[in-house]
Amino acid sequence: MSDTERSLPFCRRISYAAGHFLNDLCASMWFTYLLVYYHSVLGFPNTSAGVLLLAGQIADGVCTPLIGYESDRTPGCGSYGKRKSWHLVGTVSVLLSFPFIFNQCLGCDLSTPEWVGLIYFIPFIVVFQFGWAATQISHLSLIPELVSCEHAKVELTAYRYAFTVVANIIVFAVAYLLFHFQPGQEGDPSISDALGPIDIPVFRNLSLIVLGIGALFSLVFHLGTREKRRAGEGKEEEEEEEEEGERRPLIPAPQHPPKALLRWSCWLKQPSFYQVAFLYMTTRLIVNLSQTYISMYLTNSLMLPKKYIATIPLVMYISGFISSFIMKPLSKLIGKCLTYFVGILLVLAFSYWVILDTNMGQQIYGAAILLGAGSATILVMSLSMTADLIGEQTQSGAFVYGAMSFTDKVANGVAVMMIQAMHPCHTQLCCAACVWFYHDIMVIVTGGVAFAATLGLCTLMIWPIGITQRAPSVSGLMGDGLDPSDNSCDQEGVN
């Protein structure tokens, strides 16, 4: 394998990583501030705020595998490439819908019934989640198509996560500045330390800044990333066959048997598919739920001023950014599974710190460093394991990423709805019970789910990732890559 196959040029790696920047910016606001915004700022009850997040997660979960399936089988827009075409559709959808999510309901006032607000916001949330899913799946599916070397995949994933961390740093840094320079707050600490309707302009301006920056990075991705065209598309295939025929030797060289290609239904018969899906789901539960409830934990359990909902997540993602630079050499040295285990140990250390120190002050910065580094490590390694599972089966890679994301989105939405339903307070103002409620949630989310992720990791260490079932014969491939009349997996295929 040549060096060009092992890794992309630096500029192309940067342009690829920029393709998920808009999604990362929006996801940072979505998971960190959605519940806080709708409950503490707009005054929605806990259950209603949970319903909005659940609606978004379900929409994302349903759209993700469908988009993955369509992304694998559709040719794309002309010569633009199918992955980049779906990426463009998703980007436009996000840009058109996200500004309405973090803003007031147009035409609503204090006397407007709660159900009107729910009906108003849900369509924008659904469109946003469709766009977010289209961008995410198309971007992830490009990894095994751009590079084939295992460590190059880890490198691209690490670059991608480094940009994710930068995106989160930007969101929280801008949020801190908006809170710090919020007009009319000087000299009134009782207002400046509590979230309320006065903070609506802060979140609205933050969402508009996020979209402007994200649109610029999306443009960099589309200009700098070249999607490989498959041999067999249009006239290119005929030209390649003619050139190949002219250069073909009289005595053909020995040929390796063609590798079998998996259709989407055959993935459902792979044990490794479910192992990786479970690990990815638990990883996302740790990362997303801790990000969702860290703001509630800071303001209601630790009674910290509202500026901490910007500074603590900022510290988390800076530590994640730093740790992303050592993931590639560490995974080469000890392997992906052990690197993932190191990340789990950091998450568990955060959980134990929360249990032992119930009145953290400035110590929360140290705990945030552990959680940020651990979350970054397990997320990058889980994505790298998913790329390993796909291997050379790039023709159905989007379906695999879509299925993984489906488990993630549905599990996150259901978990948030269950937590919101168990909330001891049913009004905008929290009581003393909230102190221990959010404390316990942080412990369960980080410690309990990390233990489940460790069990999933153990199964991968015992039964490593690989395709063990039978895949469809290459001779049966046609059209979009598979013969729809062939429902069996009749030939052995191994990654």
Side-chain angles (χ1 to χ4, degrees), residues 44-45 48 52 105 108 111-122:
F44 280 65
S48 298
L52 291 174
C105 169
C108 297
S111 61
T112 303
E114 173 193 328
W115 62 268
V116 174
L118 290 175
I119 294 176
Y120 173 84
F121 286 113
I122 286 178

Side-chain angles (χ1 to χ4, degrees), residues 69-215:
Y69 175 73
E70 289 296 325
S71 176
D72 285 330
R73 65 188 295 270
T74 54
C77 182
S79 61
Y80 199 59
K82 58 184 180 182
R83 309 302 187 193
K84 289 181 65 178
S85 296
W86 276 99
H87 188 284
L88 183 60
V89 171
T91 299
V92 173
S93 299
V94 170
L95 291 174
L96 293 178
S97 60
F98 193 73
F100 296 94
I101 297 176
F102 284 92
N103 204 344
Q104 278 184 302
C105 169
L106 297 179
C108 297
D109 54 29
L110 296 177
S111 61
T112 303
E114 173 193 328
W115 62 268
V116 174
L118 290 175
I119 294 176
Y120 173 84
F121 286 113
I122 286 178
F124 294 112
I125 289 175
V126 170
V127 174
F128 162 68
Q129 292 293 356
F130 164 80
W132 200 96
T135 305
Q136 180 202 35
I137 295 305
S138 57
H139 193 257
L140 284 173
S141 301
L142 277 172
I143 293 179
E145 295 194 7
L146 293 176
V147 293
S148 56
C149 175
E150 176 181 343
H151 294 299
K153 293 176 184 177
V154 176
E155 184 179 43
L156 268 190
T157 307
Y159 269 86
R160 184 179 184 274
Y161 187 77
F163 269 69
T164 299
V165 174
V166 172
N168 283 273
I169 291 173
I170 289 176
V171 169
F172 300 129
V174 173
Y176 174 78
L177 293 176
L178 291 176
F179 278 123
H180 184 73
F181 294 105
Q182 190 174 9
Q185 302 298 300
E186 295 83 1
D188 194 346
S190 64
I191 296 178
S192 62
D193 289 347
L195 288 167
I198 196 172
D199 297 303
I200 290 176
V202 171
F203 289 96
R204 180 192 62 223
N205 295 337
L206 179 60
S207 66
L208 295 176
I209 294 172
V210 158
L211 290 179
I213 297 174

Side-chain angles (χ1 to χ4, degrees), residues 473-491:
S473 173
V474 174
S475 60
L477 303 180
M478 60 181 296
D480 60 351
L482 296 170
D483 183 358
S485 63
D486 183 9
N487 294 322
S488 62
C489 298
D490 55 11
Q491 196 176 69

Side-chain angles (χ1 to χ4, degrees), residues 96-424:
L96 293 178
S97 60
F98 193 73
F100 296 94
I101 297 176
F102 284 92
N103 204 344
Q104 278 184 302
C105 169
L106 297 179
C108 297
D109 54 29
L110 296 177
S111 61
T112 303
E114 173 193 328
W115 62 268
V116 174
L118 290 175
I119 294 176
Y120 173 84
F121 286 113
I122 286 178
F124 294 112
I125 289 175
V126 170
V127 174
F128 162 68
Q129 292 293 356
F130 164 80
W132 200 96
T135 305
Q136 180 202 35
I137 295 305
S138 57
H139 193 257
L140 284 173
S141 301
L142 277 172
I143 293 179
E145 295 194 7
L146 293 176
V147 293
S148 56
C149 175
E150 176 181 343
H151 294 299
K153 293 176 184 177
V154 176
E155 184 179 43
L156 268 190
T157 307
Y159 269 86
R160 184 179 184 274
Y161 187 77
F163 269 69
T164 299
V165 174
V166 172
N168 283 273
I169 291 173
I170 289 176
V171 169
F172 300 129
V174 173
Y176 174 78
L177 293 176
L178 291 176
F179 278 123
H180 184 73
F181 294 105
Q182 190 174 9
Q185 302 298 300
E186 295 83 1
D188 194 346
S190 64
I191 296 178
S192 62
D193 289 347
L195 288 167
I198 196 172
D199 297 303
I200 290 176
V202 171
F203 289 96
R204 180 192 62 223
N205 295 337
L206 179 60
S207 66
L208 295 176
I209 294 172
V210 158
L211 290 179
I213 297 174
L216 179 61
F217 277 80
S218 295
L219 181 62
V220 171
F221 165 78
H222 282 277
L223 293 178
T225 302
R226 292 175 295 182
E227 181 177 346
K228 294 179 181 179
R229 299 284 291 171
R230 291 186 182 281
E233 293 186 359
K235 295 182 179 179
E236 294 179 0
E237 179 186 15
E238 298 177 2
E239 295 173 357
E240 289 176 1
E241 288 179 353
E242 291 177 0
E243 294 176 1
E244 183 181 357
E246 295 174 357
R247 298 192 302 266
R248 186 176 297 137
L250 295 177
I251 302 176
Q255 297 287 331
H256 294 289
K259 290 198 173 183
L261 303 180
L262 292 178
R263 67 165 62 87
W264 70 270
S265 59
C266 290
W267 281 111
L268 302 179
K269 301 176 183 178
Q270 304 297 326
S272 292
F273 178 82
Y274 296 98
Q275 290 176 278
V276 176
F278 179 80
L279 191 69
Y280 184 80
M281 179 190 70
T282 51
T283 299
R284 281 294 188 178
L285 281 173
I286 295 171
V287 175
N288 293 341
L289 291 183
S290 62
Q291 186 177 354
T292 298
Y293 285 100
I294 188 69
S295 298
M296 302 289 194
Y297 173 66
L298 295 171
T299 56
N300 295 312
S301 294
L302 301 183
M303 305 296 180
L304 295 173
K306 67 182 180 182
K307 68 178 182 179
Y308 277 81
I309 70 173
T311 57
I312 295 303
L314 180 62
V315 170
M316 289 171 54
Y317 281 97
I318 289 176
S319 65
F321 179 76
I322 295 173
S323 66
S324 67
F325 289 101
I326 66 173
M327 290 180 197
K328 181 182 177 181
L330 185 62
S331 66
K332 282 186 176 180
L333 180 64
I334 64 177
K336 294 178 184 177
C337 287
L338 289 180
T339 304
Y340 186 97
F341 184 67
V342 171
I344 283 292
L345 290 179
L346 294 176
V347 174
L348 288 173
F350 167 83
S351 178
Y352 290 135
W353 197 334
V354 172
I355 294 175
L356 296 176
D357 193 350
T358 58
N359 295 310
M360 276 192 286
Q362 297 299 317
Q363 296 91 335
I364 188 61
Y365 286 102
I369 292 174
L370 293 178
L371 181 59
S375 298
T377 302
I378 61 177
L379 183 57
V380 170
M381 288 301 105
S382 65
L383 288 171
S384 299
M385 292 177 188
T386 305
D388 287 345
L389 174 67
I390 295 172
E392 298 180 2
Q393 306 289 340
T394 58
Q395 78 290 336
S396 56
F399 170 77
V400 176
Y401 281 118
M404 301 295 166
S405 189
F406 173 79
T407 62
D408 147 41
K409 300 304 188 302
V410 174
N412 274 281
V414 171
V416 167
M417 195 63 224
M418 291 174 60
I419 293 172
Q420 294 299 103
M422 293 187 297
H423 199 283

Side-chain angles (χ1 to χ4, degrees), residues 438-453:
Y438 289 114
H439 173 273
D440 295 341
I441 289 301
M442 289 304 298
V443 172
I444 294 171
V445 164
T446 55
V449 182
F451 179 74

